[in-house]
Amino acid sequence: MIYHYEFALASAVVLILLCILSLRRVYLPIRRNFFFRALLGAEGLTLVFDIVSSEMDAHHLLFPSGLLYAVNTAFFLGFIWRSFLDFSYIEALVHERGRFSRFPRWLVELPAILTSILILSSPLTGLVFSIDAQGYHSGLLYRIIYANAYFYLLLMMLLSYIGLRRFSWNPVEKASLIGAWAVLVVGYIVRMYAAPYLVMNSFYMLAILIQYFAFQNSDIFIDRKTGALNYATATPYLREINQRGSFSVIAIGLNDYTEGNALYGEQQMAKGLRAIVHYLKAAFPDCQVIYAAAGRFLLITTKKYDFSKIHDEIEARMQAPWIDTHAHLYLTASYAMFRGHLHQEEVEQFFDYTAMALQRTEQQHDVVIMEQSLFQQARLKTKVRQAVDRAIENRTVQIYLQPLYGTQERRIIGAEVLARIYDEKLGLIRPDFFITAAERSGTITQIGEQVFEKTCLFLNEHPLQELGLKRLNVNLSPIQCRDIHMAERICRIAQHHHIPLRSFCFEITESALSYEARLQQNIDMLMAQGATSSLDDFGTGYSNRVLKFPFEDVKLDMTFVRVYFDHTNKLLPAIIDGFQSFGVQITAEGVENKQMADTLTKLGCRILQGFYFAKPLPLDDFLHYLKTTTPTVSSTID
């Protein structure tokens, strides 16, 4: 038989290039990466001995039968174990996405083992192949080679189906899972009917390339900014080493990372991050260096380390500047440590735990040891985030109203609209909990729009004039203010429910002032429709930008108000006078008693808000409050 090696030689070139790309990269020691490298080795073995055995079989008279048996046996063994390793790679890949019942090991391994025994026995039995004076011959059980390959291909297809049904994959990954085994199906069919062309290796190389670019490409695992492994890569690694036993983690968080970006610039800061990663890799070669974003690094290892020694070593290095080309950065860090074993659900949230631990250690100025109490807090945050998602999806975000007292009118003139979430599993969730969770996930925009729409529905049933109110105050989060289309959507919702925007005053926190251009555009659109705006929580930052915006009202943060009555800060009267000189009215929140209400009225505050008047009330309770309650506050002339 005359063999054609064009396809095999081309596959060999591709395999060599892929090995250079793959093997020179530093990968985490996880099952998936082990099986992929083993698959490359099996493909190389199969390809080489496919060419060698074919050429030697074609000129069998030139070689001893023992050598012919050896090279053909090597080819067949590579052929069947390549299929086994490819299945094992897919199994490890799917297992990374979540738990599932694996196929019994005896079922998976037995076909390859039995087929190997038949191949190795062929020099004696001739069941798979034989060699005589006329050359190579297929044996009675030759097609068991294909049966073995089809068996593992079928398992791959079934496993891919299970993975796609149960777990999350991006479109490229989905196409790759299906595409890899589809290519092999075609390849095996062509191999059976075009054996002289040695094309099967080309099909297998195509399948391996599909898997490489979808799942093994280093760009997926390496954080481009720092050169460290990214945190998405570390999760399957943590899952695997956690199954084996205890492991150690040293978490390092740069203090004031956001401020450092502003001070040095993102480009310079990136150079500093790369320098830190280079140092950590060199100083701790036994650890995997992970960059978990926002200036946080993790050293992960299965070995036991002396935490205090490592802390002292890293801290000593942090005292010196991080020097790179055109970069000279002075940075400080906080540290958190962990040694132990995690529950399954804790592995998935481990990076949340480290972020929380580093926040705590930055506040406490001390090393934090990550313990169960910290994990419980992180689990609560996860549950709150899930509850927020459910509330948004089911449109169960509720609105409460807290009265606003007008010191000149000497009555309730409005109310602040506040979001509340009641979850069947968690009950009534604290606002600071769910607002923080929503801001971090970006869903605060959806909450804000749902709150505004429900406020419009309330005003449809209870117009402001009938309630004797002038306006309702609606909060806009800093995240909403970054959205250039925010005001457009607010206007659309109000128009849909036939509610004029002059019914609303939109409260904007000081932190939103950092997005000057977008915020100004949104405010201008809302004011053009008749709405007013108020600066919320004055005293928490960005105060120098206040007068750039057309705020009708400034609301003093409750902590700012309380320090005046605690006699720890006497700036309040001067601040009120300063704003009034610019024609800006003052709202004071956190009013807890009559004495505070009277004093703030005399100081010139235009609107008062706090528990002295009422806590935030459900809609029916608020309506009842308006009918039955008359607050008592002394006027400025009493």
Side-chain angles (χ1 to χ4, degrees), residues 43-105:
E43 170 59 19
L45 175 71
T46 306
L47 192 152
V48 169
F49 281 102
D50 193 10
I51 296 173
V52 172
S53 64
S54 298
E55 185 65 15
M56 290 177 67
D57 290 343
H59 302 86
H60 64 277
L61 296 176
L62 301 177
F63 304 98
S65 60
L67 183 57
L68 291 173
Y69 270 114
V71 295
N72 280 278
T73 297
F75 164 68
F76 284 127
L77 289 175
F79 191 91
I80 63 168
W81 286 101
R82 177 180 62 184
S83 299
F84 171 82
L85 290 170
D86 200 8
F87 160 76
S88 299
Y89 171 75
I90 297 298
E91 183 184 44
L93 190 67
V94 174
H95 190 257
E96 286 182 7
R97 301 301 169 108
R99 291 176 64 90
F100 68 96
S101 298
R102 293 184 179 181
F103 299 119
R105 299 317 300 169

Side-chain angles (χ1 to χ4, degrees), residues 322-422:
W322 297 93
I323 301 174
D324 198 346
T325 307
H326 308 301
H328 205 85
L329 288 75
Y330 292 88
L331 304 170
T332 61
S334 300
Y335 306 90
M337 313 291 186
F338 173 81
R339 175 69 191 174
H341 182 271
L342 298 171
H343 298 298
Q344 178 189 345
E345 64 275 7
E346 292 173 345
V347 174
E348 309 302 324
Q349 306 300 327
F350 189 75
F351 287 100
D352 291 339
Y353 302 161
T354 57
M356 182 181 296
L358 289 172
Q359 290 173 1
R360 181 181 295 182
T361 193
E362 185 174 356
Q363 296 167 357
Q364 297 177 356
H365 305 289
D366 195 8
V367 177
V368 169
I369 303 299
M370 288 184 273
E371 298 175 339
Q372 282 300 318
S373 60
L374 185 71
F375 297 162
Q376 291 170 1
Q377 294 179 33
R379 284 198 294 271
L380 177 59
K381 286 189 174 184
T382 300
K383 292 179 180 178
V384 168
R385 185 171 65 244
Q386 293 169 345
V388 169
D389 293 340
R390 286 193 296 269
I392 292 172
E393 182 179 356
N394 300 327
R395 300 194 61 79
T396 56
V397 178
Q398 303 175 22
I399 60 172
Y400 278 44
L401 299 176
Q402 186 172 26
L404 299 174
Y405 178 85
T407 57
Q408 294 182 355
E409 296 85 350
R410 305 187 69 176
R411 64 178 179 84
I412 301 300
I413 62 169
E416 180 179 359
V417 181
L418 298 166
R420 293 293 184 268
I421 292 179
Y422 179 86

